[in-house]
Amino acid sequence: MGQNRTEISELGEFGLIDRLGRHFKDHKHDSTLKGIGDDAAVIKAGEGKVKVITTDMLVEGVHFDLSYVPLRHLGYKAVAVNISDVAAMNAVPEQITFSIAISNRFSVEAIEEIYSGIKIACDNYKVDLIGGDTTSSASGLIVSVTAIGAATENDIAYRSGANVNDILCVTGDLGGAYLGLQLLEREKQVFLANPDNQPEFEGKDYVLQKQLRPEARMDVIHSLKELGVKPTAMIDVSDGLASEIMHICKASDCGAKLYGDKLPLDEVTLSTAEEFNIDPITCMLNGGEEYELLFTIKQEDFPKLKNHPDISFIGHTTPKDAGVNLVTKSGTTVPVKAQGWVHF
């Protein structure tokens, strides 16, 4: 007996991926350009062309709660989060597969409602649903999407391409999805205590939508192409800004300095954070499920983007030994710790 047992929680999600992935670093095919370790895998698809492939799974009770997540929104979100990974490679999505495990508590009509959300997402992102798998589940609902995108080999943006003194950019605003989740959880508890109580969501549509029906930022990908800017490194903000900056810094062998007063914050997010007595900076750094894009650009590309309404310039990369730091509004420099979404 006497075998050592390592708890998954000791490693965490990224530590587990690193540990399992180390056995698969040697690729048997020249067509495999990038395997484990980025937002999507990259595979050669002809002269100068590549396909990107990514998979994401959503599990009931872990990633969503059907007491407040509409089935149509779930179908839409399952597609959007995968399209976001394609966007993070600077590629354009073309196809998806959709797999679902269901228990007998779901009717045909309920499944059709999920697929209606998938259809809306497919139409919105201009992708084809080309297959998948349907099976039974002993308990909850599980959905899994694989997305396939296309790009030229030169257009692909990896996490590993940032250089010292690149500018750190992020799309949209941050923290809203996390606060939308706090709001939904609070109102669920109120409802369970007294089913006669009506949920208090007035004026909170923005943060609820960020959580329930997020959008992949393909609009920004198309915009970057039109403006002639290729990010040096890119990732999507699914596990919190702090985690994603760490990923880019680790892959690119650099550090980063970001500025608290430059982080993009929506008014509804700010007022909701105050309501919950949570520091909005904490929400922006550690709240996951944003699906905004974090990327780095060369200094000389700044003039092309400086007037872009959906891009904020939040800091810059630094030498690796400087670490990853946040400069607060008062001018204090504090090390950034990644405390994003914890699965285990």
Side-chain angles (χ1 to χ4, degrees):
M1 298 294 283
Q3 278 188 325
N4 288 336
R5 175 186 167 95
T6 305
E7 299 301 331
I8 295 174
S9 57
E10 286 179 43
L11 295 180
E13 180 192 7
F14 305 124
L16 180 63
I17 291 168
D18 285 345
R19 181 155 167 172
L20 299 177
R22 68 188 178 192
H23 304 295
F24 300 94
K25 290 195 184 301
D26 296 329
H27 297 141
K28 299 172 182 65
H29 300 279
D30 292 339
S31 57
T32 307
L33 297 180
K34 180 70 182 181
I36 297 165
D38 218 298
D39 285 73
V42 182
I43 295 169
K44 275 188 183 177
E47 197 59 45
K49 295 180 179 177
V50 295
K51 293 285 188 182
V52 303
I53 301 172
T54 181
T55 298
D56 212 44
M57 189 184 297
L58 300 177
V59 178
E60 184 180 356
V62 178
H63 301 101
F64 61 89
D65 183 333
L66 287 179
S67 67
Y68 53 70
V69 175
L71 291 172
R72 182 175 297 190
H73 285 37
L74 175 64
Y76 190 96
K77 183 174 182 175
V79 177
V81 301
N82 280 274
I83 300 300
S84 185
D85 280 333
V86 172
M89 304 302 292
N90 204 32
V92 176
E94 292 184 342
Q95 294 90 15
I96 63 161
T97 65
F98 187 85
S99 298
I100 187 167
I102 43 179
S103 68
N104 60 8
R105 80 178 212 263
F106 293 95
S107 65
V108 171
E109 289 76 15
I111 305 307
E112 285 181 327
E113 189 69 5
I114 295 172
Y115 273 79
S116 71
I118 296 167
K119 175 70 166 68
I120 294 166
C122 285
D123 290 345
N124 186 22
Y125 296 114
K126 297 179 174 57
V127 296
D128 299 322
L129 175 62
I130 58 167
D133 189 26
T134 307
T135 188
S136 60
S137 162
S139 54
L141 175 68
I142 301 169
V143 298
S144 179
V145 173
T146 294
I148 303 160
T152 67
E153 197 169 337
N154 290 335
D155 276 345
I156 290 291
Y158 295 101
R159 297 175 181 179
S160 56
N163 299 296
V164 174
N165 290 326
D166 280 355
I167 300 171
L168 272 169
C169 313
V170 73
T171 63
D173 52 76
L174 301 170
Y178 174 76
L179 286 160
L181 181 61
Q182 301 309 304
L183 202 58
L184 289 162
E185 286 288 349
R186 182 189 73 185
E187 294 306 314
K188 177 187 175 182
Q189 295 309 316
V190 169
F191 175 79
L192 290 174
N194 182 358
D196 292 331
N197 278 334
Q198 291 300 306
E200 293 181 22
F201 291 145
E202 192 174 342
K204 304 295 187 186
D205 289 359
Y206 183 72
V207 293
L208 292 173
Q209 179 164 336
K210 290 280 279 187
Q211 170 57 224
L212 295 173
R213 196 182 182 277
E215 293 289 358
R217 296 311 303 261
M218 281 310 304
D219 57 328
V220 174
I221 295 302
H222 294 307
S223 183
L224 289 172
K225 283 182 169 51
E226 287 164 15
L227 294 166
V229 176
K230 181 196 168 183
T232 51
M234 186 153 58
I235 192 170
D236 79 330
V237 184
S238 54
D239 292 303
L241 181 68
S243 284
E244 314 308 356
I245 287 176
M246 299 286 198
H247 283 317
I248 284 182
C249 288
K250 181 181 177 184
S252 296
D253 222 28
C254 65
K257 183 177 280 189
L258 46 153
Y259 297 88
D261 60 348
K262 301 290 186 190
L263 298 180
L265 182 66
D266 180 82
E267 283 299 319
V268 178
T269 304
L270 176 60
S271 64
T272 310
E274 288 170 348
E275 193 179 313
F276 279 93
N277 201 23
I278 303 173
D279 179 4
I281 295 283
T282 302
C283 297
M284 289 190 283
L285 285 178
N286 298 314
E289 297 195 291
E290 298 288 352
Y291 306 106
E292 298 292 349
L293 294 171
L294 170 72
F295 58 98
T296 52
I297 60 168
K298 297 172 183 171
Q299 295 268 352
E300 56 261 37
D301 280 333
F302 175 71
K304 299 177 188 173
L305 297 184
K306 67 178 182 181
N307 296 320
H308 197 294
D310 277 326
I311 296 174
S312 298
F313 307 97
I314 60 172
H316 57 88
T317 51
T318 61
K320 183 180 181 179
D321 57 11
V324 180
N325 296 288
L326 171 76
V327 180
T328 66
K329 289 180 182 178
S330 63
T332 310
T333 299
V334 292
V336 170
K337 292 184 173 64
Q339 296 170 309
W341 177 250
V342 178
H343 292 275
F344 301 104

